[in-house]
Amino acid sequence: MNKLSERRALLGRALAFGALGALTGCDYDHPHHPDLADRALRAMSSWNDRVQAALFDPATLAPTYRPDQITRPPRFNAYYDLDQVRVVDGASWKLDLFGAVAEKRPWRLTELRAAPQENQITRLICVEGWRVIGQWGGVPLHWFLRRIGADLRARYVSVRCADGYYSSIDMASALHPQTILALDFLGRPLTPPFGFPVRLRIPTKLGFKNPKSLVALGVTNVDPGGYWEDQGYNWFSGS
Ligand SMILES: Nc1nc2c(c(=O)[nH]1)N[C@H]1C(S)=C(S)[C@@H](COP(=O)(O)O)O[C@H]1N2
Ligand SMILES: [Mo]
């Protein structure tokens, strides 16, 4: 089952048990023509976003693990297969900056390498029903946002990836101490399938909010959405 049909199955079940049961007969196969039930569920999901944001405690850390608990080998996931991974050239790579950022000069990989680094052994949970423990190292996003003169009162941090994937997070989660621009996995540079040269690693959110192979990062007040978020996945998606 692909993610969309999985979601539809879940929605169907949610509806069957909910007050909207009378609407289960509707057709889920036309996501571009959201019906009443779909709109009701999206409204519930956006209410859920606000509750999660209100409950999010920026001082609460995600669990960390011992080195012997690391999952080997790691598990690859993307909206395409492993043989479709786009290989980014590290030497010419740059991270473009956009939105409410004072210093929009793009960043090179060497500059990110020279910045302060944080290491963490944390768990990544995918909505498909699996989880892995890994060790990521990189630049704390709160440090980076301050360094580029980001407006920290803005609502969203938005990222775009080399493969067209995109996602966004709330500012409180972006400033969380464990949210990093990861450059390393197990003490070595990320490999292309796992996000070379840099990915967002945020252990307080589900796997799909951990975009790989970033090419641009910005700060906005307009909801930038995301690849799965725009297909109905809950936007906040704390884990
Ligand atoms: N650029 C990009 N980032 C992405 C994805 C993707 O398709 N493209 N998939 C997401 C999903 S759904 C998951 S679960 C994690 C998987 O990360 P991993 O391959 O390190 O396990 O990456 C996320 N980041
Ligand atoms: Mo995922």
Side-chain angles (χ1 to χ4, degrees), residues 78-146:
Y79 69 90
Y80 44 80
D81 293 331
L82 191 55
D83 58 2
Q84 306 288 308
V85 169
R86 210 161 303 193
V87 180
V88 173
D89 171 40
S92 61
W93 176 89
K94 57 187 172 48
L95 183 68
D96 287 323
L97 302 177
F98 61 93
V101 168
E103 290 175 48
K104 291 218 178 67
R105 184 184 56 81
W107 276 57
R108 299 274 172 200
L109 190 47
T110 47
E111 298 174 280
L112 284 176
R113 284 265 166 219
Q117 311 281 312
E118 274 281 321
N119 245 281
Q120 55 171 258
I121 301 178
T122 50
R123 194 170 60 174
L124 182 146
I125 302 172
C126 176
V127 287
E128 287 175 343
W130 51 266
R131 45 197 64 202
V132 289
I133 293 170
Q135 183 190 347
W136 288 272
V139 183
L141 186 57
H142 63 82
W143 180 91
F144 186 74
L145 290 172
R146 287 189 176 93

Side-chain angles (χ1 to χ4, degrees), residues 3 77-78 124-128 130 165 206-209 228 233:
K3 286 201 169 179
N77 195 39
L124 182 146
I125 302 172
C126 176
V127 287
E128 287 175 343
W130 51 266
Y165 193 85
L206 290 175
F208 77 90
K209 304 289 269 186
W228 290 117
Y233 276 42

Side-chain angles (χ1 to χ4, degrees), residues 216-228:
L217 181 149
V219 172
T220 69
N221 278 303
V222 178
D223 180 0
Y227 182 89
W228 290 117

Side-chain angles (χ1 to χ4, degrees), residues 2-85:
N2 67 29
K3 286 201 169 179
L4 202 56
S5 56
E6 212 171 38
R7 176 179 76 90
R8 291 198 190 107
L10 274 172
L11 294 190
R13 251 173 278 145
L15 282 173
F17 289 106
L20 299 165
L23 297 168
T24 46
C26 60
D27 181 5
Y28 290 126
D29 290 335
H30 296 98
H32 298 291
H33 300 105
D35 50 37
L36 181 61
D38 208 26
R39 271 187 281 132
L41 281 161
R42 275 169 199 269
M44 268 152 51
S45 186
S46 109
W47 173 79
N48 182 313
D49 279 344
R50 290 192 291 280
V51 174
Q52 289 188 77
L55 293 177
F56 179 74
D57 177 357
T60 300
L61 297 182
T64 56
Y65 300 85
R66 299 184 311 269
D68 63 282
Q69 293 177 294
I70 292 170
T71 310
R72 293 173 197 265
R75 182 166 174 163
F76 165 81
N77 195 39
Y79 69 90
Y80 44 80
D81 293 331
L82 191 55
D83 58 2
Q84 306 288 308
V85 169

